Amino acid sequence: MEPEAGPVLYQKLRVWEPSLESEEEEEISEQLIPDASGPHDSSGNKPGRLPGAWAQLVAALLLLTVSFSLAVRQLCRSGASPGALGAGAPPASGHSHRPGVYHHSAIISPAAECSHLGRELFVAGGNIVDAGVGAALCLAVVHPHTTGLGATYWGLFHNSSSGNSTALTSGPAQTLAPGLGLPSALPALHMLHTHFGRLPWPHLLVGPISLAQKGFLVDTSLASALAAQDTKGLCPLLCHANGTPLGPGTRVTNTKLAAVLHKASLAPTPELSGDALLSLLAEDLGLEGPSVGPRPTLEPALQLPVPQGILFTTPSPSAGPELLELLEASLQSPGPSPAPCPALPQAAVAPGSSVLATVDSGGSVLLLTSSLNSSFGSGHLSPSTGVLLSNLVAESAAGAWACPLIFRGISDDTEVDVLGLVASGTPAAARVTTHALLSHLARPQTPDLQGPTESPRACGQGTLLQVAAHSEHAHVSGVPSGCCPFQGV
C-alpha cells in the first residue's frame, strides 16, 4: 500500500515586522516545497502526491498570496491607501491638525470654488504663484462686485529659496474714458506668473474659462452686493428678465468673458494678454484705439528691519509706506500690549476690494489684493467682453486700500517663521494690519500657530487673511471666522 499523503501545514501569519520577514518566508517555503530525499516515481512525482508541475504551481500561488498579504499589512501600518495618493492624505505618522493647517501648501480666498481651483493647481504640480494667479482669475469671474479683469492689482511675493520679497505694482491709476479706469489685471497676473510660476500659463486659465462658459452659482457675497446695488448697467448678466437682481444659487454664464480669457491664455507675453481686451473695450466705447500707459511692474519690496525680524510691503502709490510708518512707531513705543486702533471717521467708505493668500510649508508666501474702487466699480458692463470696468481713474487714490505685509522672523535655529497679512473692505487697511501684527508679536508663539486673536472689525470693517509657515506646516485663517474658504495639501 502506498503511504497516505500527509496534511498540508500553513504557518500562522504574525503582525508584520521587518525582522520577521525573512524568517517567515523560510518557514513557509520549507513546508510547501516537497522533500527531495523522499521516494519519487519515474515522472519525478512523489507517490500519492500531485504531479511535480502542479505542486510547483500551487507553491508559487501560495507564496504570491503570502507576499501580497505582507505588502497589504505594511501599507496599513504606514497609513497609506491607494486612493489617497496626491490627495492630501494624512502623513505616515498618522497625526492630524486643526482646520487650516497643512503639510505642504494652502490657499485662502473669498470664494470656495476659487480656493478649490487653487488646490487643484497645487495637486497638478504648481507652486503658490500658480495657485494664487489661478484663483485670482477665478475671482474675476465669480466675484464681479469686488474684482475682475477691470480691476487694479497689487501683490507681494516672498521667495523662501532666495529670501527675497518682490512687489507687484500697478502704478498710478489711469483713465480709459471719463469715469472709467484702464484695466491692468491680465498683464499684471501674467507677468507675475511668467517670473515665478511653474505650470504653463494656459493651464491656469482652464478653470476660470470653464466657470465663465458653463456657469457659476451666485454666492451670498455677490447676492448681498447685488441686493444693495442699483442694477442699471449690470443687466442682463446679473439680473432676471424683469430687471431684479439675481439671488443666491442662481447660475450665471458669461460667454463674452470666457472668450476674452481664452484669447489671453494664448498670449505669449504679459503685454499681449491685455491687448485683446483693450481693443474690444475701445470698440465698445468708440475710442480711436486702446490706451497705452505705464505697465504693471515687479520691483523689490519695501523693507523695515525690526528687532523680531524683517517686514516687507508694497511701495508707493500703495499704502505700504504708511503701513511701515505705523509699525515703526508702534514697535518703538514702550507699551506692553498693542495700541487700540484709532476710531474711523463716520463718513469713511469701505473700498470695493478683494484679497487672497497662498503659502507653502517652506516659507514662500503670495498675497494678492485687487480693487474696482467701489462695489461693481463704475457699474459699466462692457457688452463685447463681459467685463465690469473700475472707476479707479487718474484722480483716484490708486492704492490706499493696498498694503499686504510679510513678516520674516529671526530664529536661533533653522526653523522657518514667516507670516503674511492682507486686509480688504476697510478704509483703514494699514491700521488693521498694524494691529494684527502687533497682536501676533505680543503673544507667545506655540508649535501650532493660532489665527489672529483680534477681529479687524474692532478697527472698522472688512476682512483679514493670515497665512504662515511654521513648524514645517502651512497655516491659513481668516477674520471674521468663516469669511473665506481655504484648502490645502
Side-chain angles (χ1 to χ4, degrees), residues 268-357:
T269 66
E271 292 77 14
L272 294 176
S273 291
D275 285 353
L277 172 60
L278 290 177
S279 297
L280 291 171
L281 290 174
E283 293 179 8
D284 277 352
L285 299 169
L287 304 176
E288 293 183 0
S291 301
V292 178
R295 301 279 187 175
T297 60
L298 292 173
E299 55 187 88
L302 294 184
Q303 299 185 27
L304 175 65
V306 296
Q308 299 90 337
I310 303 177
L311 300 170
F312 302 94
T313 190
T314 47
S316 180
S318 76
E322 175 194 352
L323 172 62
L324 292 188
E325 289 179 5
L326 286 171
L327 284 168
E328 188 171 22
S330 299
L331 290 170
Q332 289 176 353
S333 66
S337 60
C341 293
L344 297 176
Q346 291 293 328
V349 177
S353 58
S354 179
V355 290
L356 68 88

Side-chain angles (χ1 to χ4, degrees), residues 13 19 45 48 76 106 120 138 148 227 250 274 325 329 332 337 416 466 478:
L13 293 178
S19 61
N45 297 330
C76 291
E120 288 184 331
C138 170
T250 309
E325 289 179 5
Q332 289 176 353
S337 60
V416 174
Q466 171 178 285

Side-chain angles (χ1 to χ4, degrees), residues 384-463:
S384 297
T385 65
V387 172
L388 274 165
L389 295 174
S390 78
N391 54 356
L392 274 168
V393 294
E395 298 80 18
S396 305
W401 41 269
C403 56
L405 178 72
I406 291 176
F407 166 72
R408 187 179 68 198
I410 296 176
S411 178
D412 294 334
D413 51 29
T414 58
E415 175 65 37
V416 174
D417 185 10
V418 177
L419 173 73
L421 296 166
V422 60
S424 72
T426 170
R431 296 174 182 175
V432 170
T433 306
T434 297
H435 190 68
L437 179 69
L438 295 178
S439 298
H440 171 80
L441 296 177
R443 68 180 188 260
Q445 297 304 298
T446 61
D448 191 18
L449 184 68
Q450 299 297 313
T453 56
E454 298 289 339
S455 167
R457 296 187 187 279
C459 307
Q461 63 270 47
T463 299

Side-chain angles (χ1 to χ4, degrees), residues 139-153 176 179-186 216 222 225-226 229-239 246 252-254 256-258 260-261 277-278 280-281 284-285 352 370-392:
L139 289 170
V141 176
V142 305
H143 273 189
H145 58 302
T146 59
T147 186
L149 298 191
T152 298
Y153 272 84
L176 175 65
L180 303 177
L182 181 69
S184 60
L186 281 172
F216 62 92
L222 175 55
L226 283 169
Q229 179 77 16
D230 179 3
T231 56
K232 181 181 180 181
L234 303 180
C235 300
L237 179 64
L238 299 172
C239 306
L246 301 180
V252 179
T253 59
N254 193 342
K256 298 294 185 181
L257 179 58
V260 170
L261 290 170
L277 172 60
L278 290 177
L280 291 171
L281 290 174
D284 277 352
L285 299 169
S370 58
S371 179
L372 295 167
N373 194 46
S374 56
S375 185
F376 296 101
S378 65
H380 178 87
L381 179 65
S382 163
S384 297
T385 65
V387 172
L388 274 165
L389 295 174
S390 78
N391 54 356
L392 274 168

Side-chain angles (χ1 to χ4, degrees), residues 458-487:
C459 307
Q461 63 270 47
T463 299
L464 175 70
L465 304 185
Q466 171 178 285
V467 297
H470 191 75
S471 299
E472 298 182 350
H473 290 75
H475 305 246
V476 291
S477 60
V479 176
S481 178
C483 68
C484 302
F486 48 77
Q487 292 198 25

